[in-house]
Amino acid sequence: MTATPTVPGSQPTIHPDVRLSRFNPLPRILVYDDFNSGTHGWVELLGNYDGESNLDTVDDHMHDFRPPQLSSCSFFDVGTHGAMSGTYALKVSTRPEAGHTAVAIRRLTMAGRGRVQFETYFTYKSEAASAENAAARQAGGGEWDGNIHPSERQFGAFTVATDICDGVRYHCVARYLNTDLDNQLRQQWVYPTVPEPTPREHLEGKVKLDRLADFTAPNPEDWKPFGEPQELCYNEVPTKVNWHYLRWQIDTSTRSNVELQVNDRIYDMRDIPVPPYDEEYRSLGNLLNFYVSCRTHTNVRNFLFLDAVLISVDW
Amino acid sequence: MQQSLTVVLERNALLSGVFTTEPYEVAWAREARWFIHVLDTRGTGTTLQATTQISPDGLHWCDLDDHRPTVAGTGLVSWPVREFGGWLRLKGRVDGPAESGEQPAAKVMIYLALKS
């Protein structure tokens, strides 16, 4: 049995607290991360290492996910844009290298089973061109037609995901694929059909990924679309920041997705499979991790900004 | 309570020639401190020299000052910086004797410790 998605228009009463009234939390709020007061536990994801603290034993593809930044959303043309609330947002930034992924993770455990909901206000940008970064001459660049800016084709994808273990380990994942690997606009929500390769599988000789592998699901064929394409508000140029609402709900009692809301679209995700690991993992009792990632498909830095994060549960 | 944040900008990275670290946003911080830990070197007589760079926009960079700490061989070096605006990075170079015949390189951890 899977949870019933929210019916549009039947949202709970708007919360009287001005900080929460822009969210739709489940009854118990586990996490409210306002990035004007620090990173709130969002940290760079790093692969595991040996008992000697030798970081050379970290998998190549999980070695350089970049530390998240407290960003004032400042740009060359206007200076400080600022966040949706206050000055600072959490920024996840890739290197300017096609295939590079940046990942920030939030680590929790579960005190019950049931619905879990991740909400945020986000925006996404490619780095503006300069003489040093030569972004204008990288793949995806090209003519400006007065509306669509070439930098929009230089943003690859962003992902919201979990790592959960209740005895069985599984990941719920949703990705906005802005462009394909040829830097053509896709603007499509996708999900992986395979579980994420783990450091233990590498240690056991089952998988060895390259430094720039797409670690969530390395084979592009293992990503499938859900819903219709959704045009977001990149807002033409790389230095204008418009905040988008995202609400993603899963059900840990059934190890399933429930729904994804992004602004005025609600995607029913109940039938979207969540591939579990076949093998048992120890040391992960009640694991409940959330991660966000940003992946560039060209030699241009890609940025994912989160104004705030709210995680709520019904247990 | 004041805010603090330590980040690892390079992790066991093998640097050679001229290098820059990735831009890092620090507008919220009043003070910062760099740590460069040279874990290993390739080539004999290898040195790593670095200096703090600042930027108005994360795109265009200049040196903050004339301070250019150097690590000869392995070791840990640290220095504080203040009044740096909104962005920080390091620019540096790895050198060695020309006659060594091996491209000099340094395996480093680079930390940036920030406080509001």
Side-chain angles (χ1 to χ4, degrees):
Chain A
M1 178 180 173
T2 56
T4 305
T6 307
V7 178
S10 68
Q11 294 292 336
T13 305
I14 292 174
H15 202 286
D17 185 328
V18 68
R19 294 169 299 178
L20 302 180
S21 65
R22 59 184 168 139
F23 293 105
N24 298 288
L26 296 172
R28 189 185 308 281
I29 294 173
L30 277 187
V31 160
Y32 174 66
D33 299 333
D34 173 351
F35 298 113
N36 292 292
S37 55
T39 52
H40 289 260
W42 287 93
V43 66
E44 174 181 0
L45 175 61
L46 179 70
N48 297 338
Y49 51 84
D50 72 2
E52 304 289 336
S53 299
N54 178 6
L55 296 180
D56 289 340
T57 60
V58 174
D59 282 349
D60 288 345
H61 70 286
M62 303 190 81
H63 191 271
D64 185 32
F65 284 147
R66 309 310 304 157
Q69 308 180 39
L70 293 170
S71 171
S72 57
C73 306
S74 292
F75 301 102
F76 78 97
D77 54 349
V78 295
T80 296
H81 200 305
M84 180 174 175
S85 51
T87 302
Y88 299 104
L90 191 80
K91 173 174 144 182
V92 179
S93 169
T94 71
R95 287 185 184 269
E97 186 176 11
H100 186 261
T101 304
V103 187
I105 192 166
R106 183 80 153 88
R107 296 189 168 112
L108 306 168
T109 55
M110 300 183 283
R113 299 284 183 274
R115 295 199 194 198
V116 179
Q117 184 170 274
F118 173 95
E119 295 174 85
T120 189
Y121 281 82
F122 72 93
T123 193
Y124 61 104
K125 307 307 290 186
S126 302
E127 188 171 59
S130 71
E132 181 177 302
N133 69 24
R137 295 190 293 280
Q138 301 300 324
E143 292 298 312
W144 174 54
D145 68 6
N147 176 205
I148 299 295
H149 192 279
S151 77
E152 188 167 0
R153 294 189 297 270
Q154 294 181 322
F155 186 90
F158 67 85
T159 304
V160 292
T162 64
D163 187 2
I164 300 174
C165 188
D166 59 9
V168 173
R169 189 176 181 186
Y170 60 98
H171 299 276
C172 297
V173 179
R175 167 175 291 184
Y176 185 73
L177 186 69
N178 184 58
T179 58
D180 59 25
L181 298 178
D182 296 319
N183 312 107
Q184 299 301 305
L185 286 177
R186 289 281 307 280
Q187 302 178 321
Q188 176 69 55
W189 289 96
V190 295
Y191 69 96
T193 59
V194 295
E196 175 189 313
T198 67
R200 191 175 79 181
E201 290 171 316
H202 180 202
L203 198 63
E204 293 170 345
K206 295 176 181 174
V207 62
K208 169 70 174 78
L209 295 179
D210 294 334
R211 186 173 68 88
L212 299 175
D214 185 0
F215 79 98
T216 305
N219 184 349
E221 300 301 313
D222 289 333
W223 291 90
K224 302 298 180 191
F226 65 93
E228 296 298 313
Q230 181 177 14
E231 181 177 279
L232 302 180
C233 186
Y234 187 83
N235 199 347
E236 303 182 304
V237 296
T239 54
K240 290 196 280 189
V241 164
N242 289 74
W243 299 95
H244 300 69
Y245 176 58
L246 182 149
R247 183 180 61 84
W248 179 42
Q249 192 176 109
I250 63 175
D251 190 332
T252 59
S253 66
T254 52
R255 304 187 187 115
S256 57
N257 292 294
V258 178
E259 64 183 358
L260 173 69
Q261 177 178 356
V262 182
N263 278 352
D264 55 347
R265 292 271 192 97
I266 298 180
Y267 301 92
D268 184 345
M269 294 186 72
R270 287 174 298 170
D271 294 331
I272 291 176
V274 178
Y277 290 96
D278 294 331
E279 297 174 325
E280 182 183 349
Y281 281 82
R282 302 283 307 279
S283 188
L284 301 178
N286 282 308
L287 178 76
L288 177 62
N289 287 349
F290 289 86
Y291 74 79
V292 295
S293 74
C294 181
R295 181 169 171 81
T296 181
H297 296 159
T298 183
N299 297 329
V300 176
R301 290 184 185 88
N302 281 190
F303 308 132
L304 175 66
F305 297 88
L306 307 182
D307 173 74
V309 169
L310 190 148
I311 298 170
S312 56
V313 299
D314 73 352
W315 65 59
Chain B
M1 184 86 64
Q2 302 297 306
Q3 296 293 326
S4 66
L5 178 67
T6 296
V7 292
V8 178
L9 294 182
E10 293 292 352
R11 177 180 298 106
N12 282 23
L14 192 64
L15 304 178
S16 60
V18 174
F19 67 88
T20 56
T21 60
E22 285 291 288
Y24 200 79
E25 291 205 44
V26 293
W28 62 273
R30 181 172 297 275
E31 61 180 79
R33 177 171 281 279
W34 291 106
F35 293 90
I36 303 178
H37 190 183
V38 179
L39 304 168
D40 197 6
T41 58
R42 183 176 295 170
T44 56
T46 298
T47 61
L48 182 149
Q49 183 183 74
T51 196
T52 305
Q53 290 204 314
I54 56 174
S55 171
D57 54 14
L59 299 176
H60 305 93
W61 298 86
C62 63
D63 292 351
L64 173 66
D65 53 30
D66 296 330
H67 190 51
R68 283 169 172 65
T70 299
V71 182
T74 59
L76 179 64
V77 66
S78 176
W79 72 100
V81 290
R82 294 179 66 91
E83 297 168 3
F84 36 70
W87 304 76
L88 282 172
R89 76 174 184 183
L90 289 182
K91 183 174 185 177
R93 58 180 302 135
V94 178
D95 291 305
E99 65 273 16
S100 69
E102 189 175 18
Q103 169 80 12
K107 180 178 166 183
V108 301
M109 299 283 288
I110 298 179
Y111 296 87
L112 179 60
L114 301 155
K115 290 184 180 179
S116 61

